[in-house]
Amino acid sequence: MKTTLFLPIDVHVREATAKTLLAATAALSGFNVVIGRKKEVTSIARKYGGGIFLGIGAQANFERQYRDLNSRGVKVVVMDEEGLVTFSDEIYSRTRLSTATLDCIETYFTWGRHHDKVVRNAAPEKLRSSITGNLRFDVLRPELRSVHQRQVQAIKSRLGDYVLIVSSFAACNHFSGTETYLASLRDKKFIQNEAEDAFFRRYIRFKQDVLDAFLAALPAIASSVGDAKVVLRPHPSENVDLWVSAAQGYENIIVESEGDIQPWIMGSKVIIHHYCTTSIEAFAAGHPAIAFRPFVDRDIETERPYACSLTAHSESELTKQIHDVLAGIDDLSRKRMDIRHLYEQYVFNTGNETCWQQLIPELKKIRVPSSTSALKFRFDSWRRKRRSPAADVADEYILRKSPHVSLEEMSRTLTDLSAAIPGLKRVKLARLDESCFLVTGS
């Protein structure tokens, strides 16, 4: 019987395309793959047992979940989706590498040599780690960028040229408020004492100062782009109303939250960010990025998301750099090869290897006690479709991060992937419920 691979998606616009690529390639390699929203995929893994579960992190709040999965014959492996742009190595180890949680994990897939060293220093001796990079960077490689071409063309035909502002201000602009955000960090055991509470409050104040500077700079940005538009892209956890209000009165400023972030990056003339992974994604995709850094706090920030960007410390510097990039002047172009070599230590698959080609052989090494048949999954799907719709109501936060996905949307993603990797046309797709799919090979 085939091994079942459970692929939970935490933030749809960040992970869905890349994890669908893994689902399809793993299915052709002999796995049955259950992919979809994290909550439902976890429930299916618990119900059936057996298989391999790809977790999204190793923080303390995942210990109970992973131990429960282990008790049901599920082997847990982890790829931390937020392991690239972090606080210091010491804070990352303390907040995201719980020893008790790591004890439940079979293999930890790391972003690069630097991340692997941090994990190894914090991990129990028995834990295996494997340097693979991250799946999101696979679809930014030159040979796979065409995966996003349909969406890029749709965006550009609708909007024309645009500058993309990627907001990363959930800490100070959380849709449920700052205190609720801090309470969630306590629940996740990111905050365990007064010193840690003080650190995160300092971080929130820092991000608020930067956000205020972004809002103050919007009129100048709107004036600096010529005939192009300015697209504001809020983080899924943010209060979108703040950005909608800020855009009022500007005909060329648009707030957009829908769709995978990568086509928006690839369709833009330049992205503007502050301390965000999208800067490195833009670099990997061959697109310029500008970091707006009106304030600097080296106790909070690392230089990782900035080394691949142009940097502006003032509004005037920012508008000049926007003008220069739109005019075809990009100082990063001369340094691109040196920067790429620098980032190979942080994101392994920006080099010669793809993440999915590293992952699948590692997954095949894992032996599980049992798995679930595709036939049984389909039967359960038929039963679940007939239960009360009220049973499927998710809270607002879950829906913001990972909304329901139609079979048509999932099929389009597979079609886009098949254009870059023709063998994926043999993959079969079946719906399990509003949030999950079964992917199998022919």
Side-chain angles (χ1 to χ4, degrees), residues 14-22 134-149 260 262-263 266 281 284-285 349 354-356 413 416-417 420-421:
R14 178 182 68 186
E15 305 158 34
T17 300
K19 284 187 174 172
T20 302
L21 170 62
L22 177 59
N134 185 275
L135 293 162
R136 303 201 311 263
F137 281 78
D138 276 353
V139 288
L140 294 172
R141 297 169 62 88
E143 68 269 27
L144 289 177
R145 288 175 197 165
S146 60
V147 166
H148 291 306
Q149 196 56 39
D260 191 325
Q262 290 184 343
M266 295 171 68
E281 290 181 89
N349 57 320
T354 64
C355 181
W356 66 266
T413 301
D416 292 340
L417 289 165
I421 307 175

Side-chain angles (χ1 to χ4, degrees), residues 215-284:
L215 294 171
L218 277 181
I221 295 172
S223 299
S224 69
V225 299
D227 295 331
K229 293 181 174 61
V230 177
V231 173
L232 295 171
R233 172 84 180 198
H235 187 278
S237 299
E238 285 195 54
N239 173 15
V240 178
D241 291 343
L242 178 142
W243 293 108
V244 172
S245 176
Q248 288 181 353
Y250 299 94
E251 292 185 0
N252 66 337
I253 298 183
I254 300 164
V255 179
E256 289 276 359
S257 302
E258 300 300 318
D260 191 325
I261 182 62
Q262 290 184 343
W264 286 96
I265 292 172
M266 295 171 68
S268 69
K269 303 298 287 185
V270 61
I271 77 161
I272 303 170
H273 73 97
H274 179 264
Y275 207 64
C276 187
T277 304
T278 53
S279 64
I280 307 173
E281 290 181 89
F283 180 80

Side-chain angles (χ1 to χ4, degrees), residues 300-319:
I300 289 174
E301 304 170 286
T302 69
E303 293 302 305
R304 211 167 300 157
Y306 299 131
C308 58
S309 300
L310 301 167
T311 301
H313 293 287
S314 66
E315 185 179 299
S316 60
E317 285 183 3
L318 176 60
T319 54

Side-chain angles (χ1 to χ4, degrees), residues 24-49:
T25 51
L28 290 181
S29 298
F31 290 89
N32 287 329
V33 184
V34 176
I35 181 172
R37 193 162 59 190
K38 181 176 67 173
K39 180 180 179 182
E40 284 76 7
V41 170
T42 304
S43 295
I44 293 172
R46 290 183 70 254
K47 178 174 183 178
Y48 290 104

